[in-house]
Amino acid sequence: QSVLTQPPSVSGAPGQRVTISCTGSSSNIGASYDVHWYQQFPGTAPKLLIYGSSNRPSGVPHRFSGSKSGTSASLAITGLQAEDEADYYCQSYDNTLSGSVFGGGTKLTVL
Amino acid sequence: QVQLVQSGAEVKKPGASVKVSCKASGYTFTSYYMHWVRQAPGQGLEWMGIVNPNGGYASYAQEFQGRVTMTSDTSTSTVYMELSSLRSEDTAVYYCASGVRGLTDYYFDYWGQGTLVTVSS
């Protein structure tokens, strides 16, 4: 059972918009800690996608965006492409656990 | 460019220990804390702990306290993660990742390639 809750899977057709939610609590996202997102392809290391809840590292397409409100955060992907099919993880800091926490991951399928 | 290069795959018996290394290059080794994250087969990411490359400070996730030790060697820009009393549930890919922002609100900008540790009798 992950501290941050994500849907196990989402799907969308090419060109569509999908969102992935990440729900936490008052000891992590609700305590004003940022949420960060990672993209992972099978057999490879995760890659930083969004940091500080809404910032994109250099090289990440503008199609990816993040937001945060209250105890939740969201990753949005617009103009869905086949190459976006991957697993996505949210991450934050938890002050009760005194460490980092991840969501359980969401598998994105491009139909 | 920044690179984190980890040691190779390991096969261990239950009860044994494993030590995984992570050699950093392309940046000032002592400028960023290093973290360890693991991923069991078909499962999600699990944070294990943080180590100060300058030495002297490490903090571990509650689940691993008493079984894990994270150390660093500034002379070789290498951090190590040693996990003891291995059990089958420790079978996973172990990643090192450099952390940005210090001791709390951090994120992981660079990752090693991962080291598969298999625990089997």
Side-chain angles (χ1 to χ4, degrees):
Chain A
Q1 189 84 357
S2 301
V3 173
L4 303 180
T5 301
Q6 297 179 234
S9 63
V10 297
S11 63
Q16 285 189 331
R17 177 180 187 269
V18 296
T19 62
I20 299 173
S21 62
C22 175
T23 302
S25 68
S26 59
S27 61
N28 42 69
I29 301 175
S32 297
Y33 293 110
D34 277 328
V35 178
H36 320 288
W37 293 90
Y38 302 86
Q39 179 188 56
Q40 186 181 35
F41 296 104
T44 69
K47 169 194 167 186
L48 180 65
L49 197 63
I50 296 287
Y51 68 94
S53 301
S54 60
N55 302 292
R56 280 183 308 275
S58 173
V60 172
H62 288 233
R63 302 186 294 104
F64 295 91
S65 63
S67 63
K68 187 186 85 163
S69 179
T71 58
S72 296
S74 289
L75 173 70
I77 310 172
T78 58
L80 205 57
Q81 298 181 5
E83 66 201 50
D84 299 331
E85 191 162 287
D87 294 324
Y88 294 84
Y89 293 90
C90 60
Q91 175 246 328
S92 186
Y93 181 83
D94 190 287
N95 59 25
T96 296
L97 298 174
S98 298
S100 182
V101 289
F102 285 96
T106 299
K107 181 175 181 58
L108 169 62
T109 300
V110 180
L111 302 171
Chain B
Q1 74 282 19
V2 174
Q3 279 195 305
L4 301 177
V5 179
Q6 299 183 221
S7 49
E10 303 262 13
V11 179
K12 296 292 183 181
K13 293 193 182 302
S17 298
V18 68
K19 192 170 186 177
V20 180
S21 67
C22 169
K23 183 174 176 59
S25 62
Y27 71 100
T28 303
F29 176 64
T30 53
S31 294
Y32 300 98
Y33 290 94
M34 196 72 78
H35 300 253
W36 288 90
V37 176
R38 78 175 185 180
Q39 185 171 36
Q43 303 300 309
L45 302 171
E46 182 178 26
W47 181 80
M48 298 181 68
I50 178 175
V51 59
N52 182 346
N54 273 314
Y57 174 82
S59 179
Y60 310 126
Q62 292 172 3
E63 179 183 348
F64 301 101
Q65 285 184 8
R67 279 208 306 145
V68 70
T69 304
M70 298 178 185
T71 56
S72 72
D73 182 347
T74 55
S75 68
T76 59
S77 298
T78 302
V79 294
Y80 300 90
M81 186 283 300
E82 183 170 21
L83 188 62
S84 62
S85 302
L86 290 169
R87 34 202 187 237
S88 58
E89 310 89 87
D90 294 318
T91 294
V93 175
Y94 290 75
Y95 295 101
C96 59
S98 61
V100 182
R101 283 192 189 169
L103 289 175
T104 56
D105 212 1
Y106 45 74
Y107 56 92
F108 313 116
D109 57 347
Y110 293 98
W111 296 68
Q113 84 276 19
T115 296
L116 175 62
V117 175
T118 303
V119 183
S120 174
S121 54

